[in-house]
Amino acid sequence: MGQVQLPWSREEVEATVDSYLQMWLMEQAGQTYSKTAFRRTLLSKLQNRTEAAVELKHQNISAILMEHGWQNIPGYKPRGNYQHLLAEVVAARIMVDRRFDIAADSAANLPATAPPVFTFDNVL
């Protein structure tokens, strides 16, 4: 029989939210980053959690952000049914930290860019 996982501690939740929001800030600034590198760094701070568990928490954070009217990180599809503590920590962070307002405002004011147009003229 598998090992029973304990609920995520406040420290684990805060570390996970910090990691996600750091990626979110980079995303808003148009900076490149590696989700895998962030996830692996985060895993070293957690108590016996799997990469899949971290992915799920990141999806939960996406859902919470969207409920508060914020954009989520592409690739972390919003997933509900999250821990109350997680919602509490995310809400507290986005309400208190001005960097999120500034980043969202800056991202909203960036000029729109059109995707490149590909033609099939030279394919054959």
Side-chain angles (χ1 to χ4, degrees), residues 5-102:
Q5 273 297 342
L6 296 174
W8 287 57
S9 68
R10 176 169 283 279
E11 292 78 20
E12 288 179 301
V13 167
E14 287 177 353
T16 304
V17 170
D18 286 345
S19 178
Y20 183 103
L21 294 179
Q22 190 175 2
M23 287 187 288
W24 187 90
L25 287 167
M26 293 179 79
E27 184 78 34
Q28 297 307 304
Q31 297 176 351
T32 59
Y33 60 94
S34 167
K35 291 177 188 170
T36 301
F38 269 88
R39 185 174 52 254
R40 289 185 179 151
T41 299
L42 175 60
L43 280 169
S44 69
K45 301 174 185 177
L46 304 177
Q47 299 293 319
N48 251 353
R49 304 297 176 183
T50 64
E51 287 194 27
V54 170
E55 287 287 315
L56 180 58
K57 279 292 187 209
H58 284 160
Q59 291 175 316
N60 291 151
I61 294 168
S62 287
I64 295 164
L65 287 177
M66 291 187 74
E67 288 173 10
H68 285 275
W70 293 82
Q71 182 178 349
N72 64 299
I73 295 175
Y76 289 129
K77 183 179 176 184
R79 187 177 183 119
N81 196 26
Y82 43 78
Q83 181 183 17
H84 177 74
L85 176 61
L86 182 65
E88 181 183 299
V89 170
V90 171
R93 286 292 305 277
I94 62 177
M95 298 300 175
V96 172
D97 196 332
R98 278 283 292 143
R99 292 180 304 161
F100 301 108
D101 287 332
I102 293 166

